Amino acid sequence: MATAHDRTGDLAALDPESAGWVRALRGPEPNRQAAVERLHALLLRIARNEVRRRSARLGVTGPELDDLAHQAAADALLAITGKIGDFRGESRFTTWAYKFVILEVSAKVGRHFWRNPRVPFDTEDWERLPDRFGLDPAAESEWRDLLAALRRAVEEKLTERQRRIFVALVLAEVPLDALVVELGTNRNAIYKTMFDARRKLRAALVAAGHMDHDMVRRS
C-alpha cells in the first residue's frame, strides 16, 4: 500500500494538471467529492459528444441517447476512481480518463444495438450495394459483373470468420461497436480480419480480370 511519502513522489512526476486531479481524487472529503463531480461532468460531456457522433448508425435519438451517455459516464467514473492508483502519468490524466469513457460508450452502444437490431446479424443484401457505393446506373452491366465476382470471392475465398465480419460490416451495416460485443472481441482484431479479407478479395478480383494491379495499389 502506498504511503503518503510514496504518493508525494508519484505526484512530483506528473504534469501539474494531472497531479491536481490525482491529489483531489485521492484526498479527503469534501475535496474528493468535488473532484468526483467535476470528473463526472467531464466524462458526461465526452460521452454525449461520442454517442451523438454514433447516433446515425445506431438509430437512437433524444432521451434514450442521453441515457446511454449517462450510463457510460457513470461506469467510466466508477472504473477511473477504482483504478486511480494505476495512473502512472504516461499521458495526461484527462487523456487517460477519456479512454475509459470511450470504451464504455462503445460497450453501451454495442449492447444497445443487439437489444434492438435493425437487421439480422447475417443479413446479406447485395442488391443495396450499388446505391450505397454510388455506382453509376449507366454502367450497370459492368458493376453487375463486378458484384457477382465479389460475391463469389466472399463465398469461396474467405474463412467463415472473415465472411461473417464482412457480411456484418459491409452488407448488414452492423456498427463496429456492436460487432465487437457480439463476437466478444476487440476493434483491432476486427480491423485485422477485415484487412486480411480485403486482401483476399482484391487478389480474387485481379485473378478474375475485374481489377488490375494498379487499381489494387490505389485502393
Side-chain angles (χ1 to χ4, degrees):
M1 183 175 180
T3 66
H5 176 75
D6 293 333
R7 290 182 176 184
T8 301
D10 290 343
L11 294 177
L14 303 179
D15 65 273
E17 181 185 1
S18 296
W21 275 110
V22 174
R23 186 181 296 109
L25 290 169
R26 285 175 169 177
E29 302 295 350
N31 290 344
R32 181 182 181 279
Q33 184 57 36
V36 167
E37 291 175 1
R38 286 193 297 119
L39 179 57
H40 180 262
L42 172 65
L43 297 174
L44 184 56
R45 286 198 301 273
I46 295 170
R48 279 173 166 159
N49 288 337
E50 190 64 14
V51 296
R52 279 197 295 266
R53 188 179 70 81
R54 305 184 193 202
S55 62
R57 296 293 303 275
L58 189 60
V60 178
T61 58
E64 192 174 9
L65 192 67
D66 200 49
D67 184 56
L68 285 178
H70 275 276
Q71 291 177 35
D75 287 350
L77 178 66
L78 187 63
I80 291 166
T81 53
K83 296 182 179 181
I84 191 67
D86 296 338
F87 179 66
R88 295 291 179 266
E90 286 87 356
S91 61
R92 297 176 70 87
F93 175 82
T94 49
T95 302
W96 184 70
Y98 177 90
K99 295 175 183 178
F100 281 86
V101 73
I102 294 300
L103 182 63
E104 290 296 339
V105 167
S106 295
K108 298 293 183 295
V109 165
R111 286 195 290 270
H112 181 87
F113 179 88
W114 293 117
R115 285 196 298 269
N116 303 280
R118 290 177 297 167
V119 292
F121 180 51
D122 289 320
T123 294
E124 294 189 30
D125 197 349
W126 290 91
E127 297 305 315
R128 293 173 58 194
L129 286 186
D131 289 338
R132 193 180 306 159
F133 293 161
L135 299 179
D136 185 359
E140 180 175 353
S141 61
E142 297 177 12
W143 53 251
R144 283 287 177 190
D145 289 344
L146 175 61
L147 290 182
L150 177 61
R151 186 170 187 171
R152 285 194 300 273
V154 168
E155 293 171 350
E156 297 172 5
K157 303 299 182 181
L158 300 187
T159 66
E160 178 59 30
R161 182 175 178 81
Q162 288 170 342
R163 183 181 178 279
R164 193 177 192 209
I165 289 175
F166 179 89
V167 166
L169 293 179
V170 178
L171 301 182
E173 293 189 282
V174 173
L176 178 59
D177 294 326
L179 193 58
V180 167
V181 170
E182 174 69 12
L183 298 181
T185 185
N186 57 63
R187 283 171 165 252
N188 287 339
I190 290 179
Y191 288 144
K192 176 62 166 58
T193 300
M194 276 297 288
F195 176 83
D196 292 340
R198 290 174 63 189
R199 184 170 54 186
K200 287 183 178 180
L201 295 176
R202 288 194 198 100
L205 293 176
V206 168
H210 293 282
M211 296 180 71
D212 59 32
H213 291 287
D214 288 338
M215 291 171 65
V216 169
R217 282 194 293 271
R218 288 196 300 272
S219 63

